Amino acid sequence: MSRPAALVTGASSGIGLSFAHHLARTGHDLILVARREDRLRTLADELADEHGIAVEVIVADLADPDDLDVVEARLTEGEPVDLFVNNAGFAAFGKVGDGDRDDMTDMLLLNVVAFARLADAAVAGMTTHGRGTIINVGSGTLFSKLPGYAGYGATKAFVAYYTRTMQVEAEGSGIRVQLLIPGVTATDFHHVAGHSVDDFPPERVMSPDDLVVASLRALELGEPVCIPALPDIADWDALVAAEAKIGPNASSDRIAARYHG
């Protein structure tokens, strides 16, 4: 590969597909990862022909340990990956005590285990080369407590905490890490989860292309967290400031005064 290389998981549809198109247009060679081989190879041929780039295909179910090993190895041992979009995931909905536990387990394997292992592999590979960018895709459910979303929202809370700690650890390493927090996005994610994007008011639904534009622009602006629909990044800064105020008081040798008596 002669151009910067980007590896995108969940590349055959939705947000991953939009990232693939945008990165191809901006001169990246691509490594595309997804389960659906027919769609993935069709996409690879289309992008290679249209943009004259090199496209590598890895057909993988990231919930399968053997397939996950293949992608990890590509991140750590293959040619340098300049940009890693850690996007693959799905939602298993259901109230606690009333959901499908097998579906929940599959979701945890993909949204938490595969996510973390690939993030770890990406950092290891990029550290070897002293550079790289990672985009970890979270979810706006981080800011809400919706009935039926406990499992999915918790997986994305894991993504957020993991990513923000990665950012601290990456300081001075030459590696940039972005936490991307989409809201409702017009993809087949909702259909796969048994819902419909039509259930949401149109003014709350963003196109995946707009989402990707915001993410890539946030990298240019140096914003570590991209919430594409958030009008003022100061609102995020206020959340971080509130956490900083609470944090020092989370551990002490004595209980708070209000618990006495």
Side-chain angles (χ1 to χ4, degrees), residues 1-215:
M1 290 182 169
S2 58
R3 290 164 286 269
L7 191 153
V8 183
T9 64
S12 64
S13 65
I15 293 171
L17 178 63
S18 288
F19 264 111
H21 278 284
H22 278 269
L23 294 171
R25 285 198 295 269
T26 54
H28 290 76
D29 288 330
L30 297 175
I31 306 104
L32 303 178
V33 180
R35 291 183 300 120
R36 292 174 284 195
E37 182 172 4
D38 54 343
R39 295 178 66 166
L40 202 55
R41 295 198 182 281
T42 298
L43 173 64
D45 290 343
E46 174 188 342
L47 295 178
D49 290 344
E50 185 173 347
H51 301 286
I53 61 172
V55 184
E56 180 181 338
V57 167
I58 302 177
V59 180
D61 177 354
L62 296 177
D64 182 311
D66 292 334
D67 287 0
L68 183 57
D69 284 346
V70 173
V71 184
E72 286 183 34
R74 181 61 184 83
L75 286 165
T76 56
E77 301 167 14
E79 291 296 313
V81 172
D82 300 277
L83 172 61
F84 172 44
V85 183
N86 201 354
N87 165 71
F90 81 98
F93 294 124
K95 292 182 179 179
V96 177
D98 192 35
D100 186 307
R101 294 181 196 133
D102 290 335
D103 286 349
M104 179 176 65
T105 299
D106 290 341
M107 177 178 66
L108 291 170
L109 287 173
L110 182 57
N111 293 14
V112 174
V113 176
F115 159 81
R117 289 183 64 96
L118 292 179
D120 185 89
V123 170
M126 291 176 180
T127 298
T128 300
H129 303 288
R131 70 182 192 279
T133 299
I134 298 169
I135 299 174
N136 288 333
V137 181
S139 168
T141 54
L142 181 67
F143 307 116
S144 60
K145 308 296 181 291
L146 300 172
Y149 282 72
Y152 176 70
T155 67
K156 292 306 183 177
F158 179 91
V159 169
Y161 185 91
Y162 198 96
T163 303
R164 293 176 67 190
T165 305
M166 285 175 65
Q167 291 170 340
V168 175
E169 295 175 348
E171 290 177 3
S173 69
I175 300 171
R176 297 184 299 173
V177 184
Q178 179 191 93
L179 172 59
L180 173 59
I181 304 180
V184 182
T185 310
T187 70
D188 63 358
F189 169 90
H190 306 278
H191 175 73
V192 172
H195 292 205
S196 172
V197 73
D198 296 331
D199 296 337
F200 299 93
E203 64 272 14
R204 289 192 57 205
V205 181
M206 182 174 291
S207 78
D209 284 342
D210 284 347
L211 174 78
V212 171
V213 167
S215 173

